[in-house]
């Protein structure tokens, strides 16, 4: 590269020998960012920060953890009691997973609402879905490492799902387990994968950011940047905003870590794994509940597995299912309502996933749908979940978009 | 749409609440728990060390006859206010399996396990040598108590309620008596039939500090103790939490002011043409 070296002092010296100053400079200082971004555009950075925190705390926890059915639970308790600040590391890590998912789910909502998958952003979007799937796999295996009774039965139930696959199902499950039941080989390989996959995740996140910088950020108007009048420098304008919002987010995160660290977990997981004693209700961690609800809504095992997988695949297909040229839901009255209904369906499915199918559905003790059972509620909202994707291609046929400004600058300054 | 600016924060809260609903899953067919006020509750709550020590006395004199607490070490008791010498004295009352002697033996000539006096670093000795022996009396082994307060929905409230919700044989309805059979009836225990006979009653233990030895007092003290055994770092965790929160609040306010100030510069400039790209 014969580009003139514009950097002075040490930066210039290093750039001549190792070209890392210019990309960093471009990422922060020459990344034209839409002027009109709102707070929703902070969750990607927060998710990235949490990923770093998870890798760091996880690395140290792994130094103290023993991946063996005989010692796993004891080693976690040893971390909690005898390792200096081990309780802090572990509570940061286990609640970090929850807040990672909170950030990513809001990040995904932002993408759907403002149509961030359109305009040459298909690859960016698909990479995001790959990140979500990787996160789910990593979180699931991490939860198993505690080797509490919910860990054990959660792993048993979820890995058993693969047996629904015709012909090779049972063989596949035996292969996954490394034996004929969830046992030491299973725990061992889950530890290895839980340790290794985050670095794959890190690489995919790198690609995600690279793709973002290739296309540029979407914005609440969903209109492309047309020139410098539409943009601001990423640094310091958005770095400062992110710093503030990160402070806000981490205040809530630390509130949970220090004052209610077990709020999001299941009590029964403080009992060691016991293959002879099944917990009364086997429930996954909260961030899997909507998908678990979809799984249970289909009476057929294979059908349920396909629906659960399809729920994520459908998200990945959004760039091709949504045929409207307009991105932001702000200008799409029908799509806007659909997105809100979709979000409500996801939340209700979350409640469904935590309850016993035969009981009457309730939210905090209130039977919001009368005596409608949990199973039926789950089926109705599973239908709504998929209905969103089925209806989507047809919306442009009858939707009358709202009037749009011609540019970002016009929307803010009143003139282009 | 100012609304979309507020929604992220609202969503954050909502997601949290939604997540918490998992934990709020009904705890089974037991009766309503008797909610107590606990010293360690809330933002500023810390353990009542005197109560936890009384609880330890109950654990020592009553519970430990059948229940182990495998994560409790004698030295941990220092956190409840005992001195090193007092901890030593407590440990000295117990014997644990000895390490191999000079001949490399762990059993004496009669086949008896060699023992030695317990040290502060030892785990509180279990009442039974293994699960099978522990299960020999009731058919099921009495659960280890070190994490009970965390592994049961309701925690200390559950332990307190369980210990105070036994129904005497003469007060049982015919149906309840039939259900209980040879075992015991408890209004709070899931399924109501519990193998453990009512372990505590008024004056089960004579308190050294002169506290009134009622059943309720015993149950409350032992629950406080078991919570401490399950989560011994709660006090220091919360203390660190206040410092962290205070820091985060100041940091966030400063970051907000800095962010507003940087953006204020932008609002002064638009007339001067292009937005600053550097």
């Amino acid at each position: 590269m014969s580009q003139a070296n514009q950097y002075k002092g040490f930066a210039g010296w290093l750039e001549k020998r190792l070209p890392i100053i210019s990309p960093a400079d471009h990422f922060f200082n020459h990344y034209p960012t839409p002027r009109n971004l709102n707070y929703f555009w902070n969750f990607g950075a927060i998710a990235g920060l949490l990923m770093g925190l998870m890798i760091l705390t996880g690395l140290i926890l792994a130094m103290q953890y023993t991946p063996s059915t005989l010692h796993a639970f004891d080693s976690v308790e040893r971390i909690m009691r005898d390792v200096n600040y081990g309780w802090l590391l572990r509570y940061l890590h286990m609640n970090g997973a929850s807040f990672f998912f909170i950030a990513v789910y809001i990040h995904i909502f932002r993408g759907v609402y403002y149509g961030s998958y359109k305009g040459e952003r298909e690859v960016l979007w698909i990479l995001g879905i790959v990140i979500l799937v990787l996160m789910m796999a990593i979180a699931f295996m991490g939860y198993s490492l505690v080797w509490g009774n919910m860990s054990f039965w959660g792993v048993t139930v979820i890995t058993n799902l693969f047996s629904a696959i015709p012909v090779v199902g049972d063989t596949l499950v035996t292969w996954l387990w490394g034996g004929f039941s969830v046992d030491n080989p299973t725990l061992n390989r889950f530890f290895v994968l839980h340790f290794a996959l985050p670095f794959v995740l890190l690489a995919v996140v790198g690609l995600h950011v690279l793709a973002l910088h290739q296309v540029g950020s979407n914005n609440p108007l969903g209109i492309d940047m047309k020139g410098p009048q539409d943009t601001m420098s990423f640094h310091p304008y958005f770095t400062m905003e992110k710093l503030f919002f990160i402070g806000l987010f981490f205040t809530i995160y630390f509130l949970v870590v220090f004052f209610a660290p077990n709020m999001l977990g299941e009590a029964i997981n403080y009992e060691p794994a016991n293959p002879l004693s099944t917990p009364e209700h086997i429930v996954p961690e909260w961030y899997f509940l909507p998908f678990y609800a979809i799984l249970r809504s289909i009476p057929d095992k294979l059908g349920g597995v396909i629906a659960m997988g399809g729920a994520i695949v459908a998200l990945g297909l959004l760039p091709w299912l949504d045929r409207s040229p307009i991105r932001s839901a702000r200008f799409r009255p029908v799509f806007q309502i659909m997105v809100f209904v979709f979000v409500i369906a996801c939340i209700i499915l979350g409640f469904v996933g935590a309850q016993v199918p035969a009981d009457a559905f309730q939210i905090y003790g209130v039977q919001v749908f009368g005596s409608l059972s949990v199973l039926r509620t789950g089926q109705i909202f599973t239908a709504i979940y998929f209905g969103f994707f089925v209806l989507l291609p047809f919306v442009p046929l009858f939707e009358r978009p709202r009037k749009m400004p011609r540019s970002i600058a016009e929307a803010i300054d009143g003139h282009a | 749409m100012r609304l979309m600016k507020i929604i992220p924060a609202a969503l954050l809260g909502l997601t949290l609440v939604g997540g918490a609903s998992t934990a709020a899953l009904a705890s089974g067919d037991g009766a309503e728990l008797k909610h107590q006020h606990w010293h360690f509750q809330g933002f500023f709550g810390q353990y009542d060390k005197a109560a936890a020590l009384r609880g330890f006395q109950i654990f020592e004199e009553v519970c430990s006859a059948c229940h182990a607490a495998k994560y409790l070490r004698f030295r941990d008791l220092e956190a409840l206010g005992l001195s090193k010498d007092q901890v030593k004295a407590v440990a000295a009352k117990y014997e644990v399996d000895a390490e191999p002697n000079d001949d490399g033996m762990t059993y004496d000539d009669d086949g008896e396990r060699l023992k030695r006096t317990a040290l502060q670093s030892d785990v509180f000795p279990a009442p039974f040598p293994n699960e099978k022996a522990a299960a020999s009396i009731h058919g099921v082994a009495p659960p280890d108590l070190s994490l009970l307060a965390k592994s049961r929905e309701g925690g200390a409230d559950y332990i307190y309620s369980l210990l105070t919700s036994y129904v005497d044989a003469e007060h049982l309805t015919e149906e309840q008596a039939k259900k209980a059979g040879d075992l015991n009836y408890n209004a709070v225990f899931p399924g109501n039939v519990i193998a453990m006979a009512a372990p505590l009653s008024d004056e089960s233990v004579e308190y050294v500090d002169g506290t009134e030895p009622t059943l309720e007092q015993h149950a409350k003290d032992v629950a406080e103790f078991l919570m401490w055994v399950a989560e011994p770092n709660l006090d220091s965790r919360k203390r660190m939490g206040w410092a962290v929160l205070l820091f985060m609040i100041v940091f966030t306010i400063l970051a907000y002011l800095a962010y507003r100030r940087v953006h204020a510069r932008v609002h002064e400039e638009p007339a001067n043409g292009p937005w600053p790209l550097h």
Side-chain angles (χ1 to χ4, degrees):
Chain A
M1 293 237 247
S2 57
Q3 222 171 16
N5 191 338
Q6 48 170 316
Y7 304 101
K8 294 189 184 72
F10 177 70
W13 182 88
L14 188 65
E15 175 70 12
K16 244 183 217 159
R17 288 153 181 84
L18 181 71
I20 56 168
I21 300 293
S22 54
D25 185 29
H26 274 272
F27 265 39
F28 282 100
N29 294 328
H30 301 284
Y31 177 60
T33 312
R35 283 165 63 191
N36 57 336
L37 296 189
N38 62 25
Y39 287 140
F40 270 115
W41 265 262
N42 289 313
F43 288 98
I46 286 172
L49 199 63
L50 277 167
M51 179 180 64
L53 186 80
M54 292 302 280
I55 289 180
L56 201 68
T57 50
L59 213 60
I60 306 171
L61 285 169
M63 295 174 189
Q64 305 284 354
Y65 173 77
T66 313
S68 136
T69 51
L70 289 177
H71 303 295
F73 191 86
D74 286 342
S75 74
V76 172
E77 274 310 309
R78 206 186 80 84
I79 289 170
M80 294 293 289
R81 289 156 193 272
D82 297 338
V83 174
N84 288 333
Y85 297 104
W87 58 266
L88 177 60
L89 286 168
R90 191 202 167 211
Y91 280 156
L92 280 172
H93 197 74
M94 78 184 219
N95 288 295
S98 282
F99 279 81
F100 197 0
F101 272 98
I102 290 174
V104 162
Y105 281 155
I106 296 176
H107 189 62
I108 294 174
F109 165 75
R110 195 283 320 270
V112 175
Y113 187 83
Y114 294 113
S116 294
Y117 43 83
K118 294 183 192 176
E120 286 122 44
R121 291 193 181 82
E122 298 93 339
V123 173
L124 175 61
W125 181 258
I126 291 283
L127 285 168
I129 299 299
V130 171
I131 289 170
L132 175 67
V133 172
L134 272 173
M135 275 177 68
M136 289 177 144
I138 293 167
F140 169 70
M141 288 188 280
Y143 188 67
S144 76
L145 299 187
V146 183
W147 212 242
N149 213 19
M150 195 61 90
S151 297
F152 178 85
W153 287 97
V155 172
T156 304
V157 168
I158 299 299
T159 48
N160 251 314
L161 292 178
F162 289 93
S163 70
I165 297 169
V167 188
V168 294
D170 288 327
T171 321
L172 187 67
V173 172
T174 309
W175 179 72
L176 277 176
W177 285 342
F180 297 101
S181 65
V182 174
D183 209 335
N184 205 49
T186 325
L187 178 61
N188 244 301
R189 62 190 54 192
F190 276 17
F191 175 64
V192 171
L193 291 172
H194 182 72
F195 194 98
L197 284 182
F199 297 100
V200 178
L201 180 74
L202 190 66
V204 180
V205 168
L207 292 178
H208 189 65
V209 174
L210 196 64
L212 171 71
H213 281 258
Q214 175 74 3
V215 199
S217 296
N218 186 30
N219 62 75
L221 293 171
I223 307 171
D224 277 330
M225 296 171 274
K226 295 197 172 69
Q229 72 278 8
D230 288 342
T231 66
M232 286 194 313
S233 167
F234 185 73
H235 178 73
Y237 298 110
F238 292 103
T239 43
M240 290 319 288
E241 182 188 317
K242 280 182 206 312
L243 205 61
F244 154 62
F245 208 78
I246 285 167
L248 204 64
F249 189 90
F250 272 70
T251 304
I252 300 174
Y253 169 47
F254 288 140
L255 209 61
V256 174
V257 166
F258 287 101
F259 297 99
N262 295 304
M263 178 177 85
L264 298 166
E266 285 294 320
I268 198 73
N269 221 31
Y270 277 106
E271 211 162 84
N274 184 352
L276 299 177
S277 144
T278 319
E280 206 179 340
H281 313 125
I282 300 177
V283 273
E285 290 287 82
W286 70 265
Y287 37 82
F288 292 134
L289 288 175
F291 300 101
Y292 190 57
I294 291 173
L295 170 81
R296 288 194 311 185
S297 293
I298 314 290
D300 175 63
K301 193 173 172 186
L302 180 60
V305 174
I306 291 171
M308 187 169 66
I312 298 170
V313 172
L315 270 176
L317 291 178
L318 265 181
W320 294 277
L321 290 175
D322 184 353
R323 310 186 65 91
S324 168
I326 300 162
R327 287 181 209 152
S328 175
R330 198 180 278 190
F331 305 110
R332 302 186 58 193
V334 177
F335 179 69
Q336 190 174 38
I337 292 167
M338 280 171 64
V339 173
F340 282 127
V341 171
F342 179 73
V343 171
I344 290 168
C346 289
I347 293 171
I348 289 185
L349 282 172
F351 281 97
V352 167
Q355 295 173 28
V356 184
D359 289 356
F361 178 74
Q362 53 180 30
I363 293 178
Y364 293 113
V366 183
Q367 296 187 4
V368 283
F369 301 128
S371 58
L372 193 68
S373 76
V374 169
L375 180 68
R376 282 271 174 271
T377 312
Q379 286 170 340
I380 291 169
F381 283 93
T382 298
I384 293 175
Y385 183 100
F386 286 106
F388 172 78
F389 296 99
V390 173
L391 195 59
L392 206 50
F394 305 104
V395 175
L397 298 179
F398 55 87
E399 185 178 51
R400 284 182 54 132
R402 296 194 182 104
K403 194 175 173 317
M404 287 172 71
R406 267 169 301 170
S407 71
I408 295 170
E410 190 199 83
I412 300 174
D413 305 332
H415 57 87
Chain B
M1 282 271 280
R2 196 120 281 248
L3 186 67
M4 290 311 274
K5 284 201 158 183
I6 308 159
I7 286 182
L11 261 180
L12 242 174
L14 196 74
T15 326
L16 260 183
V17 169
S21 70
T22 330
L25 191 75
S27 63
D29 44 358
E32 194 79 6
L33 296 184
K34 303 173 187 172
H35 292 285
Q36 299 294 302
H37 173 77
W38 300 99
H39 230 265
F40 51 81
Q41 272 174 343
F43 267 96
F44 299 102
Q46 301 265 298
Y47 287 122
D48 179 347
K49 288 176 183 165
L53 266 184
R54 290 196 298 272
F56 173 66
Q57 190 188 350
I58 298 166
F59 171 77
E60 224 186 350
E61 293 179 21
V62 184
C63 317
S64 68
C66 302
H67 291 275
K70 64 174 172 177
Y71 298 124
L72 173 66
R73 290 178 192 276
F74 289 106
R75 63 163 141 82
D76 296 338
L77 291 168
E78 273 181 52
L80 292 183
L82 294 191
S83 69
K84 274 204 163 62
D85 288 334
Q86 284 172 311
V87 170
K88 247 183 212 170
V90 173
K93 290 190 281 182
Y94 297 90
E95 286 203 316
V96 293
D97 289 350
E99 290 74 18
N101 63 17
D102 292 343
D103 301 324
M105 307 298 278
T106 48
Y107 288 87
D108 67 11
D109 296 341
D110 301 324
E112 290 292 316
R113 188 69 172 82
L114 291 173
K115 296 279 184 182
R116 66 162 169 80
T117 310
L119 300 170
Q120 307 98 290
S121 56
D122 280 313
V123 164
F124 199 93
F128 300 103
N130 56 41
E131 263 236 14
K132 252 193 181 146
S136 61
I137 300 172
H138 292 308
V140 282
D144 187 280
L145 294 187
S146 23
L147 282 169
L148 197 80
K150 272 162 89 178
S151 68
R152 296 292 183 273
E153 214 64 69
D157 278 331
Y158 171 79
I159 293 170
Y160 175 86
S161 307
L162 180 94
L163 291 172
T164 55
S165 299
Y166 277 90
V167 184
D168 291 341
E170 59 258 38
H171 291 117
L172 287 177
T173 64
E174 207 167 300
E175 200 182 322
Q176 288 170 336
K178 208 170 144 195
K179 197 174 169 189
D182 292 337
L183 300 174
N184 310 281
Y185 192 89
N186 188 299
V188 165
F189 190 71
N192 298 123
V193 182
I194 182 167
M196 173 171 77
L200 297 173
S201 56
D202 291 345
E203 291 168 44
S204 283
V205 165
E206 198 180 323
Y207 285 133
V208 275
D209 64 2
T211 308
E212 183 125 22
T214 61
L215 166 65
E216 284 73 20
Q217 187 65 45
H218 289 330
K220 194 139 192 247
D221 291 343
V222 85
E224 179 105 16
F225 169 73
L226 288 179
M227 188 65 218
W228 171 77
V229 177
E231 185 81 2
N233 289 308
L234 179 141
D235 286 355
S236 48
R237 187 185 81 217
K238 286 189 184 171
R239 249 180 276 125
M240 188 192 281
W242 306 329
V244 169
L245 268 195
L246 198 68
F247 174 84
M248 286 309 292
I249 290 169
V250 172
F251 171 87
T252 308
I253 291 173
L254 287 178
Y256 179 75
L257 294 175
Y259 146 65
R260 297 301 299 184
R261 181 134 176 210
V262 165
H263 274 249
R265 240 167 54 199
V266 169
H267 293 296
E268 288 161 12
E269 282 174 55
N272 305 338
W275 289 84
L277 239 181
H278 194 350

Coordinates of all heavy atoms in Angstrom, one line a residue, chain B residues 49-84:
Chain B
K49 N -25.7 -11.6 63.0 CA -24.7 -12.6 63.4 C -25.1 -13.4 64.6 O -24.8 -14.6 64.8 CB -23.3 -12.0 63.5 CG -22.7 -11.6 62.2 CD -21.4 -10.9 62.3 CE -20.9 -10.4 60.9 NZ -19.9 -9.4 61.0
A50 N -25.7 -12.6 65.6 CA -26.1 -13.3 66.8 C -27.1 -14.4 66.5 O -27.1 -15.5 67.1 CB -26.6 -12.2 67.8
A51 N -28.1 -14.0 65.6 CA -29.1 -15.0 65.3 C -28.5 -16.2 64.6 O -28.8 -17.4 64.9 CB -30.2 -14.4 64.4
A52 N -27.6 -15.9 63.7 CA -26.9 -17.0 62.9 C -26.1 -17.9 63.9 O -26.1 -19.1 63.7 CB -26.0 -16.5 61.8
L53 N -25.5 -17.3 64.9 CA -24.7 -18.1 65.9 C -25.7 -19.0 66.7 O -25.4 -20.2 66.9 CB -23.9 -17.2 66.8 CG -22.5 -17.0 66.4 CD1 -21.8 -16.2 67.4 CD2 -21.7 -18.3 66.1
R54 N -26.8 -18.4 67.1 CA -27.8 -19.2 67.8 C -28.3 -20.4 66.8 O -28.5 -21.5 67.3 CB -29.0 -18.4 68.2 CG -28.8 -17.4 69.3 CD -30.1 -16.9 69.9 NE -30.9 -16.2 68.9 CZ -30.8 -14.8 68.7 NH1 -29.9 -14.1 69.3 NH2 -31.6 -14.2 67.8
G55 N -28.4 -20.0 65.5 CA -28.8 -21.1 64.5 C -27.8 -22.2 64.4 O -28.1 -23.3 64.3
F56 N -26.5 -21.7 64.5 CA -25.4 -22.7 64.5 C -25.5 -23.7 65.7 O -25.3 -24.9 65.6 CB -24.0 -22.1 64.5 CG -22.9 -23.1 64.7 CD1 -22.6 -24.0 63.7 CD2 -22.1 -23.1 65.8 CE1 -21.6 -24.9 63.8 CE2 -21.1 -24.0 66.0 CZ -20.8 -24.9 64.9
Q57 N -25.9 -23.1 66.9 CA -26.1 -23.9 68.1 C -27.2 -25.0 67.8 O -27.0 -26.2 68.2 CB -26.5 -23.1 69.3 CG -26.4 -23.8 70.6 CD -27.0 -22.9 71.7 OE1 -27.3 -21.7 71.6 NE2 -27.2 -23.6 72.9
I58 N -28.3 -24.6 67.2 CA -29.3 -25.5 66.9 C -28.9 -26.6 65.9 O -29.1 -27.8 66.0 CB -30.6 -24.8 66.3 CG1 -31.1 -23.8 67.3 CG2 -31.7 -25.8 65.9 CD1 -32.1 -22.8 66.8
F59 N -28.1 -26.1 64.8 CA -27.6 -27.0 63.8 C -26.7 -28.0 64.5 O -26.8 -29.2 64.3 CB -26.8 -26.2 62.8 CG -26.0 -27.1 61.9 CD1 -26.6 -27.8 60.8 CD2 -24.6 -27.3 62.0 CE1 -25.9 -28.6 60.0 CE2 -23.9 -28.1 61.2 CZ -24.6 -28.8 60.1
E60 N -25.9 -27.6 65.4 CA -24.9 -28.5 66.1 C -25.7 -29.5 67.0 O -25.4 -30.7 67.0 CB -24.0 -27.6 67.0 CG -22.6 -28.0 66.9 CD -21.7 -27.2 67.9 OE1 -22.2 -26.3 68.5 OE2 -20.6 -27.6 68.1
E61 N -26.6 -29.0 67.8 CA -27.3 -29.9 68.8 C -28.4 -30.7 68.2 O -28.7 -31.7 68.7 CB -27.8 -29.0 69.9 CG -26.7 -28.4 70.7 CD -27.1 -27.5 71.9 OE1 -28.3 -27.7 72.3 OE2 -26.4 -26.6 72.3
V62 N -29.0 -30.2 67.1 CA -30.2 -30.9 66.6 C -30.0 -31.4 65.2 O -29.9 -32.6 64.9 CB -31.5 -30.0 66.6 CG1 -32.7 -30.9 66.1 CG2 -31.7 -29.5 68.0
C63 N -29.8 -30.5 64.2 CA -29.8 -30.9 62.8 C -28.7 -31.9 62.4 O -28.9 -32.8 61.7 CB -29.7 -29.7 61.9 SG -30.7 -28.3 62.4
S64 N -27.5 -31.6 63.0 CA -26.3 -32.3 62.5 C -26.3 -33.8 63.0 O -25.5 -34.5 62.6 CB -25.0 -31.6 63.0 OG -24.9 -31.7 64.4
A65 N -27.3 -34.2 63.7 CA -27.5 -35.6 64.1 C -27.8 -36.4 62.8 O -27.4 -37.6 62.7 CB -28.6 -35.8 65.1
C66 N -28.5 -35.8 61.9 CA -28.8 -36.5 60.7 C -28.3 -35.8 59.4 O -28.1 -36.5 58.4 CB -30.3 -36.6 60.5 SG -31.1 -37.5 61.9
H67 N -28.2 -34.5 59.4 CA -27.8 -33.7 58.2 C -26.4 -33.3 58.2 O -25.8 -32.9 59.2 CB -28.7 -32.4 58.1 CG -30.1 -32.7 57.9 ND1 -30.6 -32.8 56.6 CD2 -31.2 -32.7 58.7 CE1 -31.9 -33.0 56.7 NE2 -32.3 -32.9 58.0
A68 N -25.8 -33.4 57.0 CA -24.4 -32.9 56.8 C -24.5 -31.5 56.3 O -25.6 -31.0 55.9 CB -23.7 -33.8 55.8
A69 N -23.4 -30.8 56.3 CA -23.3 -29.5 55.7 C -21.8 -29.5 55.1 O -20.9 -28.9 55.7 CB -23.5 -28.3 56.6
K70 N -21.7 -30.1 53.9 CA -20.3 -30.4 53.5 C -19.5 -29.3 53.1 O -18.3 -29.4 52.8 CB -20.4 -31.5 52.4 CG -21.1 -31.0 51.1 CD -21.0 -32.1 50.0 CE -21.8 -31.7 48.8 NZ -21.6 -32.6 47.7
Y71 N -20.1 -28.1 52.9 CA -19.3 -26.9 52.5 C -19.0 -26.0 53.7 O -18.3 -25.0 53.5 CB -20.0 -26.1 51.4 CG -20.3 -26.9 50.1 CD1 -21.5 -27.0 49.6 CD2 -19.2 -27.5 49.5 CE1 -21.7 -27.7 48.4 CE2 -19.4 -28.2 48.3 CZ -20.7 -28.3 47.8 OH -20.8 -29.0 46.6
L72 N -19.5 -26.4 54.9 CA -19.2 -25.6 56.0 C -17.9 -26.0 56.7 O -17.7 -27.1 57.1 CB -20.4 -25.7 57.0 CG -20.2 -25.0 58.4 CD1 -20.1 -23.5 58.2 CD2 -21.3 -25.4 59.4
R73 N -17.0 -25.1 56.8 CA -15.7 -25.3 57.5 C -15.7 -24.6 58.8 O -16.3 -23.5 58.9 CB -14.5 -24.8 56.7 CG -14.3 -25.7 55.5 CD -13.1 -25.2 54.6 NE -13.1 -25.8 53.3 CZ -12.5 -27.0 53.1 NH1 -11.9 -27.6 54.1 NH2 -12.6 -27.5 51.9
F74 N -15.1 -25.2 59.8 CA -15.1 -24.5 61.1 C -14.6 -23.1 61.1 O -15.1 -22.2 61.7 CB -14.2 -25.3 62.1 CG -14.9 -26.6 62.5 CD1 -14.4 -27.8 62.0 CD2 -16.0 -26.7 63.3 CE1 -15.0 -29.0 62.3 CE2 -16.6 -27.9 63.7 CZ -16.1 -29.1 63.2
R75 N -13.6 -22.9 60.3 CA -13.0 -21.5 60.2 C -14.0 -20.5 59.7 O -13.8 -19.3 60.0 CB -11.7 -21.5 59.4 CG -11.9 -21.8 57.9 CD -10.7 -21.4 57.1 NE -10.3 -22.3 56.0 CZ -10.8 -22.4 54.8 NH1 -11.8 -21.7 54.5 NH2 -10.4 -23.3 54.0
D76 N -15.0 -20.9 58.9 CA -16.0 -20.0 58.4 C -16.7 -19.3 59.5 O -17.2 -18.2 59.4 CB -17.0 -20.7 57.5 CG -16.4 -21.3 56.3 OD1 -15.3 -20.9 55.9 OD2 -17.0 -22.3 55.7
L77 N -16.8 -20.0 60.7 CA -17.5 -19.4 61.8 C -16.9 -18.1 62.3 O -17.6 -17.3 63.0 CB -17.6 -20.4 63.0 CG -18.5 -21.7 62.7 CD1 -18.2 -22.7 63.7 CD2 -19.9 -21.3 62.6
E78 N -15.7 -17.9 62.0 CA -15.0 -16.6 62.4 C -15.8 -15.4 61.9 O -15.9 -14.3 62.5 CB -13.6 -16.5 61.9 CG -12.6 -17.1 62.9 CD -11.2 -17.0 62.3 OE1 -10.8 -15.9 62.0 OE2 -10.5 -18.1 62.2
A79 N -16.4 -15.6 60.7 CA -17.2 -14.5 60.0 C -18.5 -14.2 60.9 O -19.0 -13.1 60.7 CB -17.6 -14.9 58.6
L80 N -18.9 -15.1 61.7 CA -20.0 -14.8 62.6 C -19.6 -14.2 63.9 O -20.5 -14.0 64.8 CB -20.8 -16.1 62.8 CG -21.5 -16.7 61.6 CD1 -22.4 -17.9 62.0 CD2 -22.4 -15.7 61.0
G81 N -18.3 -13.9 64.1 CA -17.9 -13.2 65.3 C -17.2 -14.1 66.3 O -16.7 -13.6 67.3
L82 N -17.0 -15.4 66.0 CA -16.2 -16.2 66.9 C -14.7 -15.8 66.8 O -14.2 -15.5 65.6 CB -16.4 -17.7 66.7 CG -17.8 -18.2 66.9 CD1 -17.7 -19.8 66.9 CD2 -18.3 -17.8 68.3
S83 N -13.9 -15.9 67.9 CA -12.5 -15.7 67.8 C -11.8 -17.0 67.3 O -12.4 -18.0 67.3 CB -12.0 -15.3 69.1 OG -12.0 -16.4 70.0
K84 N -10.6 -16.8 66.9 CA -9.8 -18.0 66.4 C -9.8 -19.1 67.5 O -10.0 -20.3 67.2 CB -8.4 -17.6 66.1 CG -8.2 -17.1 64.7 CD -6.7 -17.3 64.3 CE -6.6 -17.2 62.8 NZ -6.9 -15.9 62.2

